Amino acid sequence: MTGILVLVGTLLVGALAGTGLSLRNGRIRRPAMASDSTPPPTPVADALVPGAVTLVQLSTTFCAPCRHTRAVLSRIAESTAGVAHVEFDIADRPQLAEDLRVMRTPTTIAFDDKGTELLRIGGVPKLDALRAALAPHVRLTD
């Protein structure tokens, strides 16, 4: 009887953890306060496109969701004036992940051309949600 209770408890904890993680995947978060933002690290600052919102994707080579994220971000950058997309492999630059407080891949951070963080997404972004989040910062087209 004890074995069955342990099994049921383990399955319940696993199901709750999986549900919690899937609800957080692709969720868009905005910085708490604009005054709290610190300038981005030099590699990111150098990659920002003047006059545009730059979507900075942090990924790793072996990350399957990173490929899906790349497709979504590329589609938005190609179809939206004033949006650029750059990608950094944090396996090659672990300090960059630490400086940006990134705990998982893929993570996308949108910066304006001054280096202010506009939003952050952990996981694969949802196309429509990302378009809506970018709308106040750029002119969206299809």
Side-chain angles (χ1 to χ4, degrees):
M1 184 68 177
T2 303
I4 291 175
L5 291 176
V6 169
L7 176 64
V8 169
T10 302
L11 291 173
L12 184 61
V13 168
L16 289 173
T19 301
L21 289 173
S22 69
L23 289 174
R24 291 187 63 189
N25 189 42
R27 190 182 74 175
I28 297 173
R29 295 179 297 136
R30 290 172 178 34
M33 295 181 69
S35 62
D36 289 345
S37 67
T38 57
T42 302
V44 173
D46 291 345
L48 297 179
V49 177
V53 171
T54 303
L55 301 173
V56 176
Q57 178 183 347
L58 301 160
S59 11
T60 57
T61 306
F62 305 106
C63 166
C66 295
R67 290 189 289 275
H68 297 291
T69 298
R70 184 180 309 114
V72 170
L73 299 180
S74 294
R75 182 173 175 188
I76 288 180
E78 290 167 0
S79 66
T80 308
V83 175
H85 170 231
V86 297
E87 184 175 0
F88 292 99
D89 187 337
I90 60 171
D92 298 333
R93 300 171 185 231
Q95 186 62 43
L96 187 59
E98 186 176 323
D99 292 344
L100 291 170
R101 300 175 319 279
V102 170
M103 302 299 286
R104 66 182 280 197
T105 59
T107 293
T108 304
I109 306 172
F111 290 98
D112 66 10
D113 59 348
K114 295 172 185 62
T116 303
E117 183 177 327
L118 303 174
L119 56 92
R120 183 179 288 238
I121 307 161
V124 179
K126 293 164 184 62
L127 184 65
D128 292 335
L130 183 54
R131 283 185 189 274
L134 290 173
H137 308 286
V138 297
R139 195 181 114 221
L140 297 174
T141 58
D142 247 345

